[in-house]
Amino acid sequence: MFNEFWGLGFALFNFVLLLIMYKFFGKTGLFAWVAISTILANIQVTKTIEIIGLTATLGNSLYASTFLATDILNEKYGKKEAKKAVWLGFSSLLIMVLVMQFGLKFVPAESDFAQGSLETIFGLIPQIAIGSMVAYLASQHLDVIIFSALRKMFPKDSQFWIRNNGSTLISQLLDTLIFTSIAFWGVFPLDVWLQIFISTYVLKFIVSVLDTPFGYLAKRIKPIDEK
């Protein structure tokens, strides 16, 4: 049960860090969070773990936090700012992929000890990154669109949970389907791929529900630079 408890703590830790970034840096902090989390989640996803009895990839809670960040931006600053964050995350991931592929081509010195490890991680990144970038753009834009539509239907502050969960749970399903199909189809046997798909979405579902209270807290936070 270690992974389950550690994963829960890690998810909550991510949300606390997100709120701290927002408190001290305002919407700029949310933009930074989207960029950082997108990059780190795509590094973490190269590691598989056993959780809730299924094989899953790491990075789900960190990646899911980007949806909370864009929902907060959409809620407090509007659809335009949320879309800007989506493109920032995409650009950050693209830059990481390109820069690291160039970096891997350098001939290491005889004293180097990092090349093998970097190749293990970032050598897998292109296929994963392609899946992630396609899934990211499709799902994040869908999230922004659904959130905006739900805000017209459920405009009250008390109904934020409907906007947040409704948009995230639908967009995360699309994200999981696109990402696992491109990144892992043919890499793992069908039964393992199916486990990764199911467990990835289940974990994202749980994280999406967990992030709702933090969304309400964000609505009440007055960033230092906006006072």
Side-chain angles (χ1 to χ4, degrees):
M1 291 296 291
F2 175 81
N3 279 352
E4 285 78 4
F5 286 114
W6 190 255
L8 176 61
F10 182 55
L12 297 177
F13 182 60
N14 288 332
F15 297 142
V16 170
L17 290 179
L18 186 156
L19 292 184
I20 291 173
M21 288 287 287
Y22 179 51
K23 175 63 178 179
F24 284 95
F25 303 104
K27 66 179 180 181
T28 301
L30 294 178
F31 287 141
W33 181 266
V34 169
I36 294 169
S37 297
T38 303
I39 291 173
L40 292 179
N42 278 275
I43 294 174
Q44 289 188 347
V45 79
T46 59
K47 179 176 180 176
T48 56
I49 59 174
E50 294 292 328
I51 193 166
I52 59 174
L54 297 171
T55 301
T57 55
L58 194 61
N60 289 316
S61 62
L62 191 56
Y63 182 67
S65 70
T66 64
F67 286 80
L68 175 60
T70 54
D71 283 354
I72 294 171
L73 285 166
N74 202 340
E75 178 78 6
K76 300 191 72 172
Y77 302 99
K79 186 177 179 180
K80 183 178 179 181
E81 296 299 309
K83 284 189 172 182
K84 186 186 296 184
V86 171
W87 283 108
L88 177 62
F90 174 81
S91 300
S92 300
L93 178 58
L94 179 61
I95 290 170
M96 181 199 73
V97 172
L98 295 176
V99 169
M100 289 310 301
Q101 296 314 300
F102 271 97
L104 290 177
K105 296 300 181 182
F106 282 94
V107 178
E110 290 185 6
S111 59
D112 176 75
F113 60 86
Q115 180 70 15
S117 298
L118 290 174
E119 287 178 346
T120 298
I121 297 174
F122 294 101
L124 294 173
I125 287 293
Q127 180 176 349
I128 291 174
I130 290 172
S132 180
M133 286 188 286
V134 174
Y136 178 87
L137 280 182
S139 62
Q140 284 280 14
H141 278 98
L142 180 63
D143 181 78
V144 172
I145 292 170
I146 294 176
F147 187 96
S148 298
L150 289 175
R151 185 162 55 183
K152 294 178 181 179
M153 299 170 61
F154 306 97
K156 297 180 181 178
D157 282 349
S158 61
Q159 295 173 322
F160 172 77
W161 69 274
I162 300 176
R163 302 191 289 273
N164 173 237
N165 287 294
S167 61
T168 301
L169 294 178
I170 296 173
S171 59
Q172 289 277 30
L173 179 61
L174 177 65
D175 178 273
T176 304
L177 177 60
I178 295 176
F179 174 72
T180 55
S181 296
I182 296 177
F184 298 127
W185 187 264
V187 176
F188 295 106
L190 179 60
D191 59 328
V192 176
W193 176 88
L194 188 60
Q195 281 190 43
I196 292 175
F197 170 76
I198 295 173
S199 61
T200 297
Y201 183 68
V202 169
L203 291 174
K204 288 178 179 178
F205 184 98
I206 294 172
V207 172
S208 297
V209 173
L210 288 175
D211 76 22
T212 303
F214 293 89
Y216 279 101
L217 287 174
K219 285 170 62 64
R220 302 179 66 175
I221 288 176
K222 187 68 174 179
I224 292 175
D225 65 348
E226 295 178 14
K227 291 183 178 179

